[in-house]
Amino acid sequence: MDLHSIKVACSSCNLRELCIPVGLNPGEMEQLDNLIANRRRVRRGAALFAAGDAFTSLYAVRSGFFKTSVTTADGRDQVTGFQMAGEILGLDGIVQDKHSCSAIALEDAEVCVLPFDKLEQLSREFSALQHHVHRIMSREIVRDQGVMLLLGSMRAEERLAAFLLNLVQRLHARGFSKSEMVLRMTREEIGSYLGMKLETVSRTFSRFQDDGIIEVKQRYVRILDPDALGAIVNHASPDGD
Amino acid sequence: MDLHSIKVACSSCNLRELCIPVGLNPGEMEQLDNLIANRRRVRRGAALFAAGDAFTSLYAVRSGFFKTSVTTADGRDQVTGFQMAGEILGLDGIVQDKHSCSAIALEDAEVCVLPFDKLEQLSREFSALQHHVHRIMSREIVRDQGVMLLLGSMRAEERLAAFLLNLVQRLHARGFSKSEMVLRMTREEIGSYLGMKLETVSRTFSRFQDDGIIEVKQRYVRILDPDALGAIVNHASPDGD
DNA sequence: CGGGCGGTTGATCGAGTTCAATGACCGTGG
DNA sequence: CCACGGTCATTGAACTCGATCAACCGCCCG
């Protein structure tokens, strides 16, 4: 029981500057503490929720790392995102009262469970919380637009460069290095997310390494030349203007 | 003045079964009527809002047809969606109080302006409206996941087939034909949305026509064999299982 | 120490892009 | 009413990037 429902407080959480509590005053945060039913542990490889599951709650990642993916009728699937501490999972479930994607832990993880009916109730009382919920959903929409841009109009090198910069930037916001990281996902998962095959991901990593832009050793990646990476992202055509 | 701010009522709108009012009782709908500041006309080719514009309102498409698109630093842009009557525009603006994409009218259009602060206020009073706003945002997130799936893991034929079926289905929900349509966008815009070049779009149209699946004449499209189109979408590999 | 999963690298292939020319449609003005 | 210009669409031919097929490596864990 203790393992699967641990009472915690947003007000004392070290993610409060990144997670739901952002911008709430102490009184509002206390209400939020009452909302959070419990935490839930998810083992590496296990699903927090799967496509088709009934929707009841949103989840705030407390520790660990997730991927979300959608699946077609014929079995192919597409990774739609990777989520780390402080990020919110489950927004897809609201429309149809069931989840349309699956969330799988890529390493042992822990999430805070936010029963959605209670969150709505509390949002009606506190306009700051209400607006914050709206912002979180809008942020997800904007993020998705960015992924569409990436998938629809970037070449392999640009996609991987954008992916690495995005990842390291989010890790940095959580206190990790600005230039080093250990990837939590396989080449195949990166490929699925970026719309390319695992071999292409691997080759592109190698090319970046040969060019002295990054250092790669399996899951470990170090960015040596962030500017070069940035230049790759927003400079498609190989002309020199 | 009259041309640009026309008072209207959701309660008497013929889109009330598709738009914001869905599921609201008469009292709630009356409140909604007070919310809607006015309508706004947008000429073909003009922007309802552009990336970077201050966010103040959501917009419900009353008539006409829009595209939304995002632009990279280096000038490429990606069409992220097409919107028709009853659909909501502007959700991307909430996070940063400014729009991150542009909405361009593909034909003369009219929208209902929904000031977002007032919508939030009203949502706090009426939980049905609140939940409905959440559903609209979640629906957009799920739609975006579908586009990612399309862009990340489908081939040209599948993308176009999925696109045509989606479009005709939405038109049918609005009382139009189940099999015929006139496209409001160019081949280039379709290509941008689907992550392919206009020539490929055109060639794929021609191939579908040669196969007797559709009839195409410029912007006019008639679906002759919807099942074949459906089979193309969720049956990637050309093996016969 | 051996088995297996994940990753790298090479060789070949092909879907879709690119470049280019032609054709259809539409509004405008002579 | 028709000629003209412009935009949008179609089609062909050559090319290219990334996919596919295949072999091998290396790291981790039992």
Side-chain angles (χ1 to χ4, degrees):
Chain A
M1 231 0 80
D2 273 344
L3 276 174
H4 290 271
S5 61
I6 307 158
K7 265 287 178 193
V8 281
C10 286
S11 44
S12 61
C13 177
N14 60 7
L15 290 167
R16 65 184 177 281
E17 297 302 323
L18 280 166
C19 192
I20 300 262
V22 172
L24 300 188
N25 67 40
E28 291 163 336
M29 221 181 290
E30 193 186 323
Q31 292 295 318
L32 195 58
D33 285 340
N34 295 331
L35 159 76
I36 310 253
N38 54 53
R39 286 198 211 163
R40 192 174 134 194
R41 287 181 180 282
V42 188
R43 291 238 155 272
R44 176 195 159 106
L48 173 59
F49 55 80
D53 284 1
F55 167 76
T56 60
S57 308
L58 299 181
Y59 304 93
V61 180
R62 164 109 186 112
S63 67
F65 205 91
F66 286 86
K67 69 168 175 182
T68 48
S69 61
V70 290
T71 308
T72 48
D74 60 317
R76 282 172 298 176
D77 66 31
Q78 169 73 25
V79 172
T80 53
F82 297 107
Q83 296 78 22
M84 56 182 73
E87 296 180 333
I88 306 299
L89 282 160
L91 298 171
D92 60 284
I94 300 168
V95 218
Q96 298 170 308
D97 273 315
K98 65 181 189 208
H99 289 283
S100 61
C101 70
S102 304
I104 310 288
L106 295 182
E107 58 183 2
D108 290 357
E110 202 175 7
V111 299
C112 296
V113 181
L114 316 168
F116 192 64
D117 51 358
K118 291 198 185 137
L119 188 60
E120 284 192 327
Q121 194 185 319
L122 212 56
S123 295
R124 267 177 267 130
E125 294 173 41
F126 300 104
S127 65
L129 179 61
Q130 178 199 35
H131 191 61
H132 195 50
V133 170
H134 291 156
R135 290 188 35 166
I136 285 169
M137 300 190 77
S138 175
R139 185 178 63 191
E140 179 64 21
I141 290 169
V142 172
R143 188 194 72 86
D144 291 351
Q145 288 178 349
V147 178
M148 286 185 229
L149 178 64
L150 181 146
L151 290 172
S153 66
M154 289 189 178
R155 325 238 259 65
E157 288 193 353
E158 304 174 70
R159 293 181 197 194
L160 190 63
F163 170 73
L164 290 174
L165 287 174
N166 174 274
L167 214 54
V168 84
Q169 175 246 309
R170 282 155 65 202
L171 287 166
H172 187 228
R174 283 155 184 81
F176 295 99
S177 166
K178 211 188 290 203
S179 59
E180 285 183 301
M181 59 187 149
V182 176
L183 302 175
R184 252 70 233 214
M185 67 296 278
T186 66
R187 298 288 188 262
E188 183 165 24
E189 286 160 341
I190 297 172
S192 173
Y193 179 58
L194 298 180
M196 48 208 256
K197 295 287 134 174
L198 69 94
E199 294 94 328
T200 309
V201 174
S202 181
R203 270 185 248 275
T204 308
F205 268 124
S206 300
R207 198 172 325 135
F208 284 173
Q209 178 158 245
D210 293 347
D211 294 350
I213 297 170
I214 64 174
E215 186 190 329
V216 200
K217 202 174 184 186
Q218 306 287 125
R219 302 278 178 108
Y220 169 85
V221 177
R222 172 179 212 152
I223 296 175
L224 302 172
D225 188 346
D227 295 342
L229 224 42
I232 289 172
V233 175
N234 48 113
H235 204 12
S237 43
D239 59 33
D241 85 289
Chain B
M1 229 1 78
D2 274 341
L3 275 174
H4 289 272
S5 62
I6 308 158
K7 264 286 177 193
V8 281
C10 287
S11 44
S12 61
C13 178
N14 59 6
L15 290 167
R16 67 184 176 280
E17 297 302 323
L18 281 166
C19 192
I20 300 263
V22 172
L24 301 188
N25 67 38
E28 291 164 336
M29 220 180 292
E30 194 186 323
Q31 291 295 318
L32 195 58
D33 285 341
N34 295 329
L35 161 75
I36 309 252
N38 53 53
R39 286 200 210 160
R40 190 174 136 194
R41 290 181 179 283
V42 188
R43 291 238 155 272
R44 176 195 160 107
L48 173 59
F49 54 79
D53 283 2
F55 167 76
T56 60
S57 309
L58 300 181
Y59 304 92
V61 180
R62 164 112 185 109
S63 68
F65 205 90
F66 287 86
K67 70 169 175 182
T68 47
S69 61
V70 290
T71 307
T72 49
D74 59 318
R76 283 172 296 177
D77 67 30
Q78 169 73 24
V79 172
T80 54
F82 297 107
Q83 296 78 21
M84 55 182 76
E87 296 179 334
I88 306 300
L89 282 160
L91 297 170
D92 60 283
I94 300 168
V95 218
Q96 299 170 307
D97 273 315
K98 65 180 190 208
H99 290 283
S100 61
C101 70
S102 303
I104 310 288
L106 296 181
E107 57 183 4
D108 289 359
E110 202 175 6
V111 298
C112 296
V113 180
L114 314 169
F116 191 64
D117 52 356
K118 292 200 184 135
L119 187 60
E120 284 192 326
Q121 194 186 319
L122 212 56
S123 292
R124 267 177 267 131
E125 294 173 40
F126 300 104
S127 66
L129 179 61
Q130 178 198 36
H131 191 61
H132 194 51
V133 170
H134 292 155
R135 291 189 38 178
I136 285 170
M137 298 190 79
S138 176
R139 185 177 64 192
E140 178 63 20
I141 290 168
V142 171
R143 187 194 72 85
D144 291 350
Q145 287 178 350
V147 177
M148 285 184 230
L149 179 64
L150 181 146
L151 290 172
S153 66
M154 290 188 177
R155 325 234 264 73
E157 287 193 353
E158 305 174 70
R159 293 181 196 194
L160 190 64
F163 170 72
L164 290 174
L165 286 174
N166 173 274
L167 214 54
V168 83
Q169 174 247 309
R170 282 155 65 203
L171 287 166
H172 187 227
R174 284 157 183 78
F176 294 99
S177 165
K178 211 188 287 200
S179 58
E180 284 183 301
M181 59 188 150
V182 175
L183 302 175
R184 252 69 234 216
M185 68 295 279
T186 67
R187 298 289 188 261
E188 183 164 23
E189 285 160 341
I190 297 172
S192 172
Y193 180 58
L194 298 178
M196 49 208 254
K197 295 286 135 174
L198 70 94
E199 293 94 328
T200 308
V201 174
S202 181
R203 272 184 245 275
T204 309
F205 268 123
S206 300
R207 199 172 325 134
F208 284 172
Q209 179 157 246
D210 292 347
D211 295 350
I213 296 170
I214 64 175
E215 187 192 328
V216 200
K217 201 174 183 186
Q218 305 285 129
R219 303 278 178 106
Y220 169 85
V221 177
R222 172 179 211 152
I223 296 174
L224 301 172
D225 188 346
D227 295 343
L229 224 41
I232 289 172
V233 175
N234 47 114
H235 204 12
S237 42
D239 58 35
D241 84 292

